[in-house]
Amino acid sequence: MTRTMAADRTSAAVLTGAAWTLLVAFETLAQIALKAAGETLAAAPDLPHWFAAAAGSGWAWLGVLGYLGSFAAWMAILDKLPLSLCFPLTSVVYVTVTACSALVFREEIGALRWAGIGLIIVGVIVLGTEDEPACAR
């Protein structure tokens, strides 16, 4: 392998890693912001007032921006990696959203849920370290 090819592979790996980091961050931001927006919109007396309040909610707009950012990151990821690998790896967002829910909203996370999160992490590690696609064997 030439230096240029190795540099290109390293560069692609760094960019893909950055896209994954952005995907998780934006997706987590969207969920936390929309939860905060939902709490403030709960007092709206009817649907027209709810829509008006949502349109003026900074939290709701932050949630929308989070979704737009995650969309852009997801497109960058799918350009480089197979969907059959990428989609299961998105489950890492369950971990970050749960942790942020506990930190930001003081939600109680029980031992059984933490055990489930541990299983998700193990699953992500297994999925992400497969050397060769099953169809190539």
Side-chain angles (χ1 to χ4, degrees), residues 29-83:
L29 171 68
Q31 296 304 320
I32 297 303
L34 291 176
K35 168 69 174 170
E39 288 179 350
T40 63
L41 299 175
D46 54 30
L47 196 56
H49 286 95
W50 185 91
F51 276 113
S57 169
W59 285 115
W61 285 108
L62 191 58
V64 169
L65 288 175
Y67 274 131
L68 290 173
S70 67
F71 172 78
W74 186 236
M75 292 298 100
I77 291 166
L78 290 178
D79 182 49
K80 302 294 182 206
L81 297 171
L83 179 62

Side-chain angles (χ1 to χ4, degrees), residues 82-108:
L83 179 62
S84 62
L85 172 66
C86 295
F87 188 71
L89 292 178
T90 63
S91 62
V92 76
V93 173
Y94 295 133
V95 178
T96 59
V97 170
T98 302
C100 286
S101 297
L103 292 171
V104 174
F105 300 113
R106 303 285 183 234
E107 293 180 6
E108 299 224 5

